[in-house]
Amino acid sequence: MKHLLFVGLCILAAGCATTASQRDATEAFGLATERIGRLGEDEYAAVRSGIIRLNTYQAILDGSAKSGDLQYDGPATAEATAERISACKTLRMYGDLLMRLASDDRTQFVRRSAITFADSAGETMGMSLNPRQQAAIDEIIAGLSRIWTDKRKADSIREVVLAFEDVINALADRILADFVIDGRDASFLAAYDSEARQLQSMADSMLDTGRFADMGERRRIVLASYKARNIRVRVVEIGLRMQTAIETLKKANAEIVSGVRNNTCDAERINEYGRLIQQLGNLKQILPR
């Protein structure tokens, strides 16, 4: 009898350890996803602002440009940028929700996080949540009115992760498409690079002539060339790292899904994902805009 009791306790302890390990991985994944969503929001806004500045420099240098020729935001219109920021915001809110579910948070912040994520996901995807997705959110909201046990928390994580697996992958693909520089018009980063190339070509050509009305004109040309070169450096560095980060996000998401389905999860892949996001955040702070 004592032997059976000991075995039972060992099995229970192993199950709890696995659950704790999965919860730690989920929390780490949530933190990294919240950060990449926030970084993406910031970068889309920076690209729009950068394109406006580039077009402004071009208008200053191009003496033949008329008011009707100028479209300062080019492809990065307010509406197009807002749609992309919405995708990043949904990722950020998903990460926040997973962090709260995986932690010991039992406050109303969990309810608010679930509601705001659900609203954002529906808006971004352009459709209502399907029954399984809505049920996963409803269970979190309803669960807070009952005892928030470890099992209830684990069940909530499982349902959210499985219900929104495809949504997270779809959002990742949307964002990834904007950070690939291969000549596609739909890529925001490619449009950013194109505008920078145009300005650099214009400014360098004017510099190479050596003819300036005064030093004030030369200063404007030099500043325009400098701005264009800096942006092209940023495009390459941010583009490569965002691509790697988003691709790793999809792999990490697959690990979290595997964890809740099969009770197995590669923690190292989750940790790699977190490290990449940390490096990306550090790089963004020092690269010129």
Side-chain angles (χ1 to χ4, degrees):
M1 183 66 181
K2 289 182 179 180
H3 178 69
L4 290 175
L5 179 60
F6 176 75
V7 171
L9 289 173
C10 287
I11 293 173
L12 179 61
C16 290
T18 302
T19 300
S21 176
Q22 289 175 357
R23 194 179 298 168
D24 288 345
T26 301
E27 189 170 7
F29 174 80
L31 175 60
T33 301
E34 192 273 344
R35 290 197 66 194
I36 197 172
R38 194 178 298 278
L39 290 170
E41 289 180 62
D42 179 66
E43 193 60 29
Y44 277 122
V47 167
R48 172 172 160 77
S49 296
I51 286 178
I52 290 172
R53 286 196 299 271
L54 288 170
N55 286 330
T56 301
Y57 273 114
Q58 287 193 55
I60 292 172
L61 298 186
D62 185 359
S64 64
K66 305 298 182 183
S67 61
D69 300 330
L70 304 178
Q71 185 184 4
Y72 292 105
D73 56 3
T77 62
E79 182 179 2
T81 307
E83 289 177 0
R84 288 159 168 84
I85 287 178
S86 177
C88 293
K89 185 173 294 184
T90 301
L91 269 187
R92 173 169 61 82
M93 292 177 176
Y94 181 69
D96 179 72
L97 177 59
L98 288 187
M99 279 193 295
R100 293 187 184 281
L101 288 175
S103 71
D104 288 330
D105 194 341
R106 293 178 172 82
T107 69
Q108 291 299 314
F109 287 112
V110 178
R111 183 194 303 270
R112 187 174 68 181
S113 182
I115 293 172
T116 54
F117 165 65
D119 290 344
S120 183
E123 178 187 353
T124 301
M125 301 306 291
M127 62 184 72
S128 301
L129 301 186
N130 65 39
R132 182 173 190 180
Q133 292 166 347
Q134 190 62 58
I137 298 299
D138 290 343
E139 179 59 28
I140 294 171
I141 296 171
L144 291 174
S145 62
R146 302 190 292 270
I147 297 177
W148 195 231
T149 64
D150 286 344
K151 182 180 184 308
R152 191 181 302 284
K153 183 182 294 187
D155 289 344
S156 293
I157 291 173
R158 182 179 190 280
E159 286 308 308
V160 167
V161 166
L162 295 180
F164 289 95
E165 175 187 7
D166 292 342
V167 170
I168 300 309
N169 287 332
L171 293 174
D173 286 338
R174 283 191 192 182
I175 297 169
L176 179 61
D178 270 324
F179 288 92
V180 176
I181 309 172
D182 58 5
R184 288 184 293 180
D185 293 338
S187 167
F188 254 38
L189 213 60
Y192 199 19
D193 184 60
S194 176
E195 296 291 342
R197 285 175 182 272
Q198 290 179 36
L199 178 61
Q200 184 180 341
S201 176
M202 179 186 296
D204 288 353
S205 177
M206 296 175 74
L207 280 175
D208 291 343
T209 65
R211 295 191 299 270
F212 315 105
D214 52 40
M215 290 306 295
E217 181 183 9
R218 176 178 170 80
R219 181 175 183 276
R220 288 193 296 271
I221 296 170
V222 170
L223 288 176
S225 177
Y226 178 73
K227 169 62 70 176
R229 289 172 186 269
N230 277 344
I231 285 178
R232 292 187 62 194
V233 170
R234 182 181 182 86
V235 163
V236 171
E237 295 296 329
I238 292 295
L240 290 174
R241 283 165 176 77
M242 278 294 288
Q243 289 174 50
T244 302
I246 295 295
E247 287 165 354
T248 308
L249 159 63
K250 295 181 69 175
K251 294 175 183 177
N253 190 45
E255 288 297 332
I256 293 298
V257 170
S258 175
V260 300
R261 275 187 178 147
N262 309 313
N263 206 31
T264 59
C265 181
D266 186 349
E268 181 52 36
R269 178 158 286 173
I270 306 298
N271 292 334
E272 176 193 3
Y273 173 45
R275 286 193 295 269
L276 285 171
I277 305 308
Q278 179 68 41
Q279 292 168 5
L280 176 60
N282 293 340
L283 184 70
K284 278 174 59 63
Q285 289 183 326
I286 62 173
L287 282 176
R289 291 177 181 261

